Amino acid sequence: MEPDLSTLAEYLETEGFDGYLLDADSADSNQLYLSGFDAPDPFVTVFTGDETRVLVSGLEYGRAKKESRADAVYRLADYDFRQRLAEYGPKEGRARTIAAFLDDAGVESVLAPERFPLGTADGLREQGGDVTAEERDVLGDIRAVKTDEEVDNVRAAQKANEAAMKAAEDLIRAADVDADGILVYEGDPLTSERVQQEIEITLLREGCALDETIVACGEQAADPHDRGSGPLAANESIIIDIFPRSKSTKYHADMTRTFVKGEPSDELREWFDITAEAKDAAFDALEPGATGKDVHDAVCDVYENAGHATFRSDPTTETGFIHSTGHGVGLDVHEGPRLSSDGEELKPGHVVTIEPGLYDPAVGGVRIEDIAVVTEDGYDNFTDYPVELVVD
Amino acid sequence: MEPDLSTLAEYLETEGFDGYLLDADSADSNQLYLSGFDAPDPFVTVFTGDETRVLVSGLEYGRAKKESRADAVYRLADYDFRQRLAEYGPKEGRARTIAAFLDDAGVESVLAPERFPLGTADGLREQGGDVTAEERDVLGDIRAVKTDEEVDNVRAAQKANEAAMKAAEDLIRAADVDADGILVYEGDPLTSERVQQEIEITLLREGCALDETIVACGEQAADPHDRGSGPLAANESIIIDIFPRSKSTKYHADMTRTFVKGEPSDELREWFDITAEAKDAAFDALEPGATGKDVHDAVCDVYENAGHATFRSDPTTETGFIHSTGHGVGLDVHEGPRLSSDGEELKPGHVVTIEPGLYDPAVGGVRIEDIAVVTEDGYDNFTDYPVELVVD
């Protein structure tokens, strides 16, 4: 895939920068996207508007020439790195090497990401370079609009995700409930950790890696960032949120379901139904030209009309709908566009989650999350997994 | 565990800074170490010499109060984040919020890591703040010296590592060799990917996560950064390098072995023997008071005396011993101290790898890597895995 960098080229031209500069390893998705090079140690990439150049260590040089999508690959030794290190020390030596690389590319003033390393920026400035942190993440905006190939990468990861969700649900279904209301599987308490392991092994077999998986029950489920631990209980909600990354393509998927083994309370049932309704309302609002804020407002409307607090109605609430409606998914599991109170205009090719939820430690948590792509005339929800609360 | 931050406090005092500032998520190990808080989105931590304060979003506030090791936890709302955003926009609004948080902590001038985000630094500077990127990574130096608890964490991860290496070796042992010299297991070619999967599933079962695993055969093994792919071949070297991370403690281990299924060439045997000898020489040099350079030089001596090129004898060589001897291991799989041409003095509590290796696409690659802790009177190599080339 060759990314379309014309927007970035135009932006540099308009704003009067000679280049866009990255200094990061490929865990930085802008670096992975721009350079096309997957490397564990930081390296430097500059986009001049016409071409992309990378600067790597000797150890990475051969692989970078083979694998990166840069127009030209240079190694530190091409700019006398060792001599400069010996003469000026590590910080200034590295800055002078990068300055020489930029000079060779005809680049004096650079735009850099908000999270560009301060040491490199100040080092280049000391060499007379002009480095500006960007206000908006232009490359992130470009990355947010996926090519068909990128959408297919997310779809493939989502297939793996559905297999993992099914493995988790099957495990909960197969469990018994002991006298204390704890789930028991093959003689042991069924824990969050055991279900996470089942999910993660399934994902590995499906060619995916993973950062973390949420399997959170009861009070834990009421904290959207709690990954969950310990035994799972019957009659309480269990939130399972899985966000795998394809090992080969590096693209993510993301899906959440909420299950109850046994009998949910009336309140949990009501929460589940209103959350499913909120999800439908969000999809009704999802189309090109609408904003992420429109979609988020549709969810807030449903919740607030049903008497639930949201961050829109009360920014300090600790219960109710206490996060945004969704986010883009791609090389990062969280990327643009935002489906939130400051969500921007939606465009065809945006791959987004829709994930309304309700939280209260006294009740538990409910979240339902699908993943979809915005199309020319609406959206394509490519999540293929039932929305059912009770697991018998 | 409470980290001993007295060195950082003294350094701030000596250099005239009011605080040490981080703005990162917990993938940044300095952030995880200083704050003790594991969070997927960036948050701000300041160490004043007397206390550690963190500034998190409302979503993370409850968990940060429970889980972080900070002396005080604040939320963005405590410093009028939303109002500032509305008035000044995202970049300046955030900078003003952090400035208010620092002001409240009595901090005007801060030291920040080399890779501190440029946007935050420039934003604080615009508010009159004084932000300096550090020349040396003081917190990294503190992290390099492990407490007994941290060493135990690495030991535990290494146990998992050994189980995974055994699973991989067993798979290679169980494989047959077909007429083309390709390893075959249960009717299919045995690939790097299949062995990686076996390793990774074993690690998951042992409570470890993982970034990547190297299973590289033949010419692939000659590139130390090639993770390996495709069918494994008999009579060629297979480098297996595993660096798991404990999911619970977040500490890593690291170990490499090189195997040949079948009959290695005389050259591979010789490379293996000299590499084992180089490893022994490195351990002979490993003790407190010696430098990382001393240990690296011991390895270079062995290789160069045997006629092999090293980066010491030829900085541009693409074959021979083309990396450093080792590195620290902890929250990061690569951290201080360095066992390399610029390796610093070694101290008790340093947990390091010793990993000499030889590489040439015409021959393949050989690497043997153990992990050990520097003790008061030498070292404790807690790697418990045989060093044997041939797998029958």
Side-chain angles (χ1 to χ4, degrees), chain B residues 223-251:
Chain B
D223 178 348
H225 274 209
D226 194 326
R227 287 150 200 166
S229 60
L232 300 173
N235 311 327
E236 300 202 35
S237 66
I238 303 169
I239 288 182
I240 302 188
D241 188 347
I242 314 179
F243 30 99
R245 182 180 213 187
S246 162
K247 286 191 176 204
S248 54
T249 70
K250 305 288 179 186
Y251 282 78

Side-chain angles (χ1 to χ4, degrees), chain B residues 37-103:
Chain B
F37 186 50
D38 187 10
D41 298 313
F43 61 98
V44 173
T45 301
V46 67
F47 173 70
T48 65
D50 298 316
E51 60 167 2
T52 304
R53 296 183 177 202
V54 303
L55 177 66
V56 299
S57 71
L59 194 61
E60 294 286 25
Y61 183 62
R63 207 166 59 80
K65 279 199 295 186
K66 269 189 291 183
E67 298 177 12
S68 91
R69 66 167 65 107
D71 300 291
V73 176
Y74 299 84
R75 61 184 131 184
L76 293 168
D78 293 334
Y79 299 101
D80 304 325
F81 181 51
R82 276 169 186 274
Q83 295 89 316
R84 293 184 202 271
L85 278 193
E87 191 166 350
Y88 300 105
K91 192 180 165 185
E92 188 177 336
R94 185 166 183 275
R96 284 176 178 265
T97 305
I98 298 171
F101 165 73
L102 291 177
D103 188 51

